[in-house]
Amino acid sequence: MQIILAGAFADRGYATDLVVCNGDGDLKDLVPANVRLVVLEKSSNLMARWTAARADPAALGILGPSIVLPRKISKSLPSLRGLAKYLSTTRPDALFSGTPHLNIEAVLARRLAGVKTRVVISERTHTTSDNGGAKAWRTRNLASAVGHVYRQADAIVAVSNGVAEDLAQFASLDRSRIITVHNPALTPDTAARAAEPVDHPWFADDGVVTILTVGRIGRQKDHTTLVRAFAKLRAEREARLVIIGEARDPTKRDQNRDRLLALAAELGVAQDIMLLGYQANPLRFMARASLFVLSSRFEGFGNVLIEALACGCPVVSTDCPSGPSEILDGGRFGRLTPVGDPDALAAAMAATLDNPPLKADLQARADEFSYNTAIERYVDILLGDPVGPLDPGTAGR
């Protein structure tokens, strides 16, 4: 999403840098030619801790437990010093960041650099759910750090109303300060990407149902529940399941894949499940799938749901916090099921396959999440033009 935003800003004539902690990875080739890629210098972990403490020494009691002193610091903290150096030398008009640790580090970097750069931070996921597996003390201390640092930002953006409300409660922030702007999930080349060919036999028009999901393999996307639901569906009809995505942590990729495949074998559906790993263009698969399913425990917004709708693919999603219900209008454009309930998910999948909605209706719903409207609102926020919170019913459209 940051790559999409950077390219959109550059296309509108703004000199745009994409500032990253790591210059390698699957998305590197997607950086537009008119966006400068800046890879930050890294310091040692000890220097990173000291730099963070020096940025706001009066708040060390607040920042210490979750930012400066924990046994394991964030992966991006060693780039804090490099980000401060970038700000002091480049002096950009605005800095846009996303996710809690990067947001905190963006504000701290501005303090270290002593520049007037406008800092706009964005919350990309349901914060409370994302920290659900953490120890209570860590969640509590992170909330204090988020509340303290976010108040120093020039603007706070959330990708859904659910995320905005959760963030306000989590960090004791004024809800009126948080602006909801839905992600510009549909780019101008969406139709062209959806039309690209797929060289895979399961996506040939052979009359067999192919169910698709797209997302990192891990706790958040809860593919375990999806595999269990698929096994129940498969017991009643011929079908196949394709999973696109990899674990975020490269060291866990094989482990997570093996667990899913072992579960599929245990349930007797291993031959009907295919893991395709990372795919640069999942839209071409969505355009040819019989059904798209999102089984997440939590989301920020759920870009893949809009992408699937735009491709005319019927969708089923868990009613997780937050985003899917906003996108699907409470279930009007795709069935919603409880989180972690394979029986309900299987039933919703079967009902949708038996009575799929009209393709034109799905695409019309996707069109309501306007790319240009979202980009222009982001530009306004970054430039400091007066922007107030949107009404819950029209946020980001």
Side-chain angles (χ1 to χ4, degrees):
M1 191 51 56
Q2 298 293 70
I3 289 175
I4 290 173
L5 290 172
F9 301 151
D11 289 343
R12 282 161 173 72
Y14 299 102
T16 305
D17 291 345
L18 183 64
V19 184
V20 301
C21 303
N22 183 354
D24 297 318
D26 293 330
L27 303 182
K28 182 178 181 180
D29 293 338
L30 300 183
V31 179
N34 56 355
V35 172
R36 184 175 70 141
L37 182 65
V38 178
V39 182
L40 297 174
E41 298 176 5
K42 291 185 179 180
S43 64
S44 67
N45 285 356
L46 182 61
M47 176 60 72
R49 296 175 189 271
W50 182 82
T51 303
R54 186 168 63 88
D56 194 356
L60 186 57
I62 298 174
L63 300 178
S66 59
I67 306 300
V68 180
L69 301 176
R71 181 179 60 84
K72 187 177 181 181
I73 60 174
S74 77
K75 294 180 179 179
S76 53
L77 195 64
S79 299
L80 174 59
R81 191 178 183 185
L83 180 57
K85 181 179 179 181
Y86 165 82
L87 292 177
S88 64
T89 55
T90 306
R91 295 183 176 270
D93 296 295
L95 174 66
F96 180 70
S97 64
T99 73
H101 282 284
L102 289 175
N103 290 336
I104 289 171
E105 290 151 17
V107 174
L108 295 181
R110 180 177 65 174
R111 292 178 63 95
L112 288 165
V115 295
K116 295 182 179 180
T117 296
R118 180 174 172 83
V119 174
V120 177
I121 59 180
S122 63
E123 201 63 43
R124 323 298 297 173
T125 193
H126 196 265
T127 311
T128 302
S129 299
D130 200 11
N131 287 282
K135 294 181 179 179
W137 68 267
R138 182 181 182 277
T139 303
R140 182 173 62 251
N141 288 321
L142 181 61
S144 299
V146 167
H148 172 75
V149 176
Y150 279 30
R151 290 185 182 91
Q152 301 175 47
D154 295 286
I156 306 171
V157 176
V159 296
S160 69
N161 288 309
V163 166
E165 290 155 9
D166 178 69
L167 175 62
Q169 183 176 8
F170 174 76
S172 299
L173 294 170
D174 183 352
R175 172 64 179 88
S176 66
R177 276 209 62 202
I178 305 172
I179 306 164
T180 297
V181 183
H182 287 160
N183 285 332
L186 303 183
T187 56
D189 65 346
T190 292
R193 292 173 63 208
E196 289 183 6
V198 173
D199 184 17
H200 192 286
W202 284 13
F203 290 90
D205 188 12
D206 60 0
V208 180
V209 167
T210 298
I211 298 166
L212 175 69
T213 190
V214 178
R216 289 188 301 271
I217 298 178
R219 176 181 176 272
Q220 178 186 353
K221 303 301 180 180
D222 195 10
H223 290 105
T224 298
T225 291
L226 176 57
V227 170
R228 293 187 184 281
F230 173 74
K232 294 177 181 295
L233 180 77
R234 182 66 184 85
E236 301 296 331
R237 68 179 73 196
E238 189 176 5
R240 299 170 297 210
L241 173 64
V242 173
I243 299 174
I244 291 177
E246 293 283 9
R248 174 182 292 177
D249 186 347
T251 63
K252 295 182 179 180
R253 287 179 182 175
D254 290 343
Q255 180 182 12
N256 289 356
R257 288 171 60 91
D258 290 346
R259 284 178 179 173
L260 275 184
L261 292 174
L263 176 62
E266 176 187 332
L267 298 173
V269 293
Q271 72 280 5
D272 300 309
I273 293 181
M274 182 76 68
L275 275 64
L276 295 185
Y278 168 78
Q279 297 289 327
N281 177 18
L283 274 70
R284 60 195 179 116
F285 297 92
M286 294 176 179
R288 293 162 177 82
S290 308
L291 176 67
F292 183 88
V293 180
L294 186 70
S295 54
S296 296
R297 298 173 188 268
F298 62 92
E299 285 288 339
F301 184 46
N303 294 342
V304 290
L305 291 178
I306 295 179
E307 291 173 337
L309 293 175
C311 292
C313 183
V315 300
V316 169
S317 175
T318 53
D319 190 10
C320 66
S322 55
S325 183
E326 292 179 39
I327 294 169
L328 300 178
D329 194 16
R332 181 182 171 196
F333 295 96
R335 288 176 171 81
L336 295 163
T337 68
V339 172
D341 188 336
D343 291 326
L345 189 59
M349 292 160 64
T352 303
L353 289 170
D354 289 339
N355 187 24
L358 294 176
K359 182 176 180 178
D361 290 345
L362 301 179
Q363 292 175 323
R365 175 58 175 175
D367 288 341
E368 293 183 31
F369 297 89
S370 167
Y371 172 84
N372 287 324
T373 297
I375 297 300
E376 292 305 324
R377 283 187 61 78
Y378 273 117
V379 169
D380 288 343
I381 295 167
L382 287 166
L383 295 181
D385 292 343
V387 179
L390 293 171
D391 293 333
T394 59
R397 300 183 191 171

